[in-house]
Amino acid sequence: MTRPPLLLALLALLAGCASAPDDESPAAARWQPRPGVAWQWQLSGRLDTSVDVPVYDIDGFDQPKATVSALHAKGRKVICYLSTGAYEDWRPDAKKFPKSVLGKGNGWDGERWLDIRRTDVLEPLMAARIDMCHDKGFDAVEPDNMDGYKNRTGFPLKAADQLRYNRLIAKLAHDRGMSVGLKNDLDQIPQLVGDFDFAVNEQCAQYGECADLTPFVKAGKAVFHVEYELPTSRFCADSRRLKLSSMLKKYELGAWRRAC
């Protein structure tokens, strides 16, 4: 029996709807940490996996796939810490960075700012680093040193250079199905909140800047926040009001923590 063209079109449309997943967009598949979720941030010392929190942020180079898997087995999400805006002379890929992209020191031993305008050089290097995070099973990336344009880097970096580079890093993570956080860079939050899945901030309470992170919270995105020099009595009440995920840490970012 010959079916009318209109009926055939309707059947095809229904078949397509039935076979399509509920949401095929990469954004829907990514982990989205919500405001107020508790976390642990440890970048030095022997990793303590006994802290009872749903999110861990650990060093991407130092920690093996087995550690990520073990944390997943305990129901935790795991963030991969990487420096994307500064060179670190002890990393295994350090020799791949040409001298032409290395700027002034950023205040930490062995680290130098990168010329983020040179995406021709830096994009493949950062893509390889994020591939490493992906291959180890990390859920997200914490790219560090994302505000070089506000510092004395040795390069004439502009705000537009930083926006372009930060969005590149976000895209590299998203292309691999991973979430990504905006580290500090408070001035560009209005332009970048839509490109990032969460924020990571240091010392916004000490400098009276925590309200600047409100766009992330309003977007339903976590703000992972630490203070180093203020007692919890000086910032936890405001952190709870602002729905920040706050804790007190020591500068070396070992296992010790005091959460709000």
Side-chain angles (χ1 to χ4, degrees):
M1 180 177 68
T2 302
R3 295 180 178 178
L6 182 59
L7 178 58
L8 288 173
L10 179 60
L11 289 171
L13 178 61
L14 291 172
C17 291
S19 61
D22 290 338
D23 194 335
E24 294 181 337
S25 67
R30 291 197 303 270
W31 169 55
Q32 178 58 72
R34 299 300 177 187
V37 63
W39 71 308
Q40 166 66 323
W41 194 19
Q42 184 178 348
L43 302 183
S44 69
R46 183 173 181 177
L47 185 66
D48 179 1
T49 62
S50 67
V51 181
D52 188 15
V53 292
V55 179
Y56 266 68
D57 189 339
I58 60 179
D59 190 278
F61 280 103
D62 293 347
Q63 301 300 332
K65 182 176 182 178
T67 298
V68 180
S69 298
L71 288 169
H72 281 161
K74 294 182 178 182
R76 293 162 180 158
K77 296 293 185 181
V78 194
I79 301 172
C80 182
Y81 171 88
L82 293 173
S83 183
T84 51
Y87 166 82
E88 300 164 308
D89 65 7
W90 68 92
R91 297 301 191 184
D93 62 353
K95 292 182 179 180
K96 296 180 180 179
F97 289 78
K99 291 183 179 180
S100 61
V101 301
L102 306 184
K104 292 182 178 180
N106 69 352
W108 296 92
D109 289 343
E111 297 189 26
R112 296 167 66 178
W113 289 106
L114 291 169
D115 186 354
I116 58 170
R117 300 169 301 171
R118 294 294 308 279
T119 54
D120 58 319
V121 173
L122 296 180
E123 181 174 355
L125 292 171
M126 296 306 158
R129 287 185 167 191
I130 295 173
D131 279 338
M132 173 190 69
C133 296
H134 177 267
D135 292 346
K136 289 182 178 181
F138 282 94
D139 303 286
V141 178
E142 181 214 331
D144 199 6
N145 297 296
M146 297 282 275
D147 54 0
Y149 82 106
K150 299 283 286 186
N151 293 272
R152 295 180 179 179
T153 63
F155 306 111
L157 303 181
K158 306 296 184 185
D161 300 319
Q162 195 71 60
L163 285 172
R164 177 176 175 241
Y165 188 71
N166 289 2
R167 285 176 173 141
L168 170 63
I169 297 299
K171 183 178 186 302
L172 291 174
H174 288 162
D175 286 349
R176 290 153 179 80
M178 304 171 70
S179 300
V180 61
L182 180 64
K183 181 72 170 287
N184 298 322
D185 195 17
L186 293 171
D187 289 349
Q188 295 189 327
I189 284 176
Q191 296 102 310
L192 292 174
V193 64
D195 298 280
F196 287 82
D197 306 287
F198 57 93
V200 179
N201 177 267
E202 296 167 293
Q203 298 172 280
C204 69
Q206 182 174 341
Y207 297 107
E209 300 169 332
C210 290
D212 293 344
L213 292 147
T214 299
F216 273 96
V217 175
K218 286 186 174 179
K221 300 176 179 182
V223 174
F224 297 115
H225 161 236
V226 298
E227 293 292 329
Y228 302 113
E229 299 180 11
L230 298 180
T232 54
S233 60
R234 291 275 303 277
F235 66 89
C236 280
D238 279 342
S239 288
R240 285 189 286 269
R241 178 178 60 83
L242 294 170
K243 299 182 180 179
L244 309 184
S245 301
S246 300
M247 60 183 171
L248 179 64
K249 295 285 291 185
K250 297 176 182 178
Y251 277 110
E252 62 268 24
L253 292 174
W256 185 89
R257 68 192 287 273
R258 183 169 292 162
C260 288

